[in-house]
Amino acid sequence: MDINSIKAQIDSEIGNINSPETLEELRVKYLGRKGFIPQLTGSIPNMPQGERAAFGQEVNALKNKITFLIDEKQKAITGKSTKLPLSSVDIGLPGISQELGHLHPITQVTNEICAIFSQMGFAIVEGPEVETEYNNFTGLNIPLEHPSRDVFDTFYLDAGKNENQESRIKDRLLLRSHTSPVQIRVMKSRKPPLAVVVPGRVYRPDAVDASHSFMFHQIEGFVVDENIKFSDLKGALEVFAKGVFGKNIKMRFRPHFFPFTEPSAEVDISCIICQGKGCSVCGQKGWLEILGSGMIHPRVFKNVGYQPGRYTGFAFGMGVERIAMLKYGIDDIRLFFENDLRFLKQF
Ligand code: DAH
């Protein structure tokens, strides 16, 4: 049947209906699964492309008309509409609540640390996670034979290319293994005075366990100007450590070695669990290591083209997961990355 004959037919048939049963038969005949309307709709795919849209619209209009006629008839026969009366919607039912998320604990701790340095006048700068071998190592005075440059300790992106050593150290790309390369980027593009913190992701091919992850977060910081002293480093780090861990912690600087700082120091805080008496968290030592630091090596200044002897500066770098684990007493780094809401909701 074509559209026009269906139109004519429904108009004549609907007039003769006077019981709910015959109305239902009529509904099935036109709108039911095998009724006229679904038959028309089903024929659309076989029509020429250009006629489908117009035909579809006509069928739809006819379907709406038939639905309307049946509904009117239903009301006339029974006094009830086939549509749900308004009162059947229970407006007292509780709605479907939309849960609000919040920032990830690592983001929260990163923001907190950056805010403390921001208040001391540091700018927040980010750098790329795909970095050159030069910025990640060579520019930072890390020698070619340093173990961290091994392919087992750094993710190289184009290992195998550029076997020629000269172009290799200039061009090879890698996933940065620390945030320190942003020192090179910033020092090359800006002039002192500089006070910068750099939050971001870093990557190392470590086997995952309770304290290692192939991806984690660091915050690098550095200050460069004329006359920056080790005491400036101590002052800034003390404000940071007391801001994060509380006014009562003590700090100590242990001599250490980093290629890009001289002298270098690792920084410990008194154990926040046992207040320095010795417990399982601090391995009975009373101290917890929180970061590496030192005075920027003159060779780093030379590598970025600063006039020899003119500037001094300090730098430091910390792992955000480690700070967060100490601050909240978390004993497994994997918890940060498993997306388990039972864990995340606690922050
Ligand atoms: N880049 C070092 C690391 O990933 C951390 C570090 C140590 C950064 C000493 C510094 C520093 O800026 O002075 O282990």
Side-chain angles (χ1 to χ4, degrees):
M1 275 234 278
D2 62 34
I3 289 196
N4 287 330
S5 31
I6 295 178
K7 259 189 207 158
Q9 189 172 329
I10 180 82
D11 281 336
S12 73
E13 283 186 355
I14 194 106
N16 303 326
I17 302 279
N18 49 22
S19 75
E21 293 74 25
T22 48
L23 183 63
E24 175 60 14
E25 278 168 24
L26 186 86
R27 194 190 65 74
V28 171
K29 182 170 161 189
Y30 285 86
L31 302 177
R33 260 196 327 130
K34 295 189 178 140
F36 293 136
I37 295 293
Q39 278 176 33
L40 290 179
T41 321
S43 71
I44 292 178
N46 303 326
M47 300 179 71
Q49 187 83 36
E51 293 170 23
R52 292 183 194 170
F55 183 76
Q57 278 170 9
E58 262 190 276
V59 173
N60 238 340
L62 179 58
K63 181 181 169 188
N64 291 340
K65 180 184 160 168
I66 296 173
T67 309
F68 175 79
L69 287 176
I70 293 178
D71 192 49
E72 290 296 296
K73 194 66 175 185
Q74 171 97 6
K75 278 193 247 171
I77 299 172
T78 63
K80 282 190 211 145
S81 165
T82 50
K83 290 192 200 128
L84 286 178
L86 206 55
S87 60
S88 74
V89 176
D90 183 352
I91 59 168
L93 273 179
I96 300 162
S97 66
Q98 201 72 48
E99 277 204 61
L100 266 192
H102 63 66
L103 295 178
H104 190 278
I106 291 300
T107 310
Q108 290 184 35
V109 172
T110 301
N111 289 351
E112 182 183 342
I113 295 169
C114 287
I116 293 171
F117 283 106
S118 213
Q119 284 186 332
M120 288 190 270
F122 286 67
I124 299 167
V125 174
E126 288 180 312
E129 292 167 28
V130 173
E131 191 46 283
T132 61
E133 186 167 358
Y134 183 85
N135 288 344
N136 198 79
F137 292 123
T138 317
L140 288 163
N141 194 38
I142 301 175
L144 264 180
E145 65 278 8
H146 194 278
S148 66
R149 295 183 72 145
D150 196 279
V151 291
F152 296 107
D153 285 293
T154 295
F155 287 111
Y156 289 91
L157 294 176
D158 49 3
K161 274 193 247 157
N162 289 337
E163 281 319 317
N164 165 317
Q165 257 212 354
E166 185 96 350
S167 56
R168 193 190 125 198
I169 41 182
K170 263 207 240 122
D171 303 341
R172 213 158 47 148
L173 293 178
L174 44 75
L175 292 182
R176 67 179 178 189
S177 58
H178 52 174
T179 41
S180 306
V182 186
Q183 283 191 34
I184 304 297
R185 289 179 173 271
V186 172
M187 286 189 224
K188 273 191 170 164
S189 60
R190 304 184 194 182
K191 292 252 142 339
L194 297 171
V196 173
V197 276
V198 183
R201 291 179 182 203
V202 302
Y203 301 84
R204 293 180 192 178
D206 283 331
V208 175
D209 64 22
S211 51
H212 294 86
S213 167
F214 52 84
M215 184 284 297
F216 58 100
H217 299 74
Q218 284 190 334
I219 296 179
E220 185 81 11
F222 57 96
V223 168
V224 182
D225 201 355
E226 290 170 0
N227 264 320
I228 297 296
K229 301 181 291 297
F230 199 92
S231 52
D232 296 316
L233 168 66
K234 291 183 87 172
L237 289 183
E238 186 160 343
V239 171
F240 149 72
K242 293 194 166 167
V244 174
F245 293 106
K247 295 234 170 327
N248 293 328
I249 57 115
K250 293 196 193 72
M251 289 181 85
R252 71 174 184 185
F253 287 69
R254 265 183 302 106
H256 199 76
F257 174 80
F258 296 106
F260 33 90
T261 43
E262 182 59 34
S264 306
E266 278 193 330
V267 175
D268 299 339
I269 56 167
S270 50
C271 179
I272 48 175
I273 309 292
C274 64
Q275 278 80 41
K277 291 183 205 70
C279 69
S280 63
V281 171
C282 59
Q284 309 306 326
K285 291 202 272 291
W287 296 94
L288 299 166
E289 183 219 314
I290 55 163
L291 54 82
S293 67
M295 300 306 288
I296 296 173
H297 199 292
R299 253 182 247 144
V300 174
F301 289 139
K302 179 167 168 260
N303 292 342
V304 297
Y306 286 176
Q307 188 188 319
R310 172 146 185 211
Y311 299 112
T312 53
F314 66 75
F316 57 87
M318 67 184 94
V320 181
E321 281 78 1
R322 179 164 174 82
I323 303 283
M325 287 168 82
L326 293 173
K327 185 176 164 81
Y328 295 116
I330 297 163
D331 60 7
D332 195 321
I333 195 171
R334 290 170 289 201
L335 288 164
F336 290 121
F337 308 120
E338 284 168 348
N339 215 17
D340 185 336
L341 291 181
R342 292 169 303 179
F343 171 74
L344 295 173
K345 275 183 171 168
Q346 298 176 61
F347 299 92

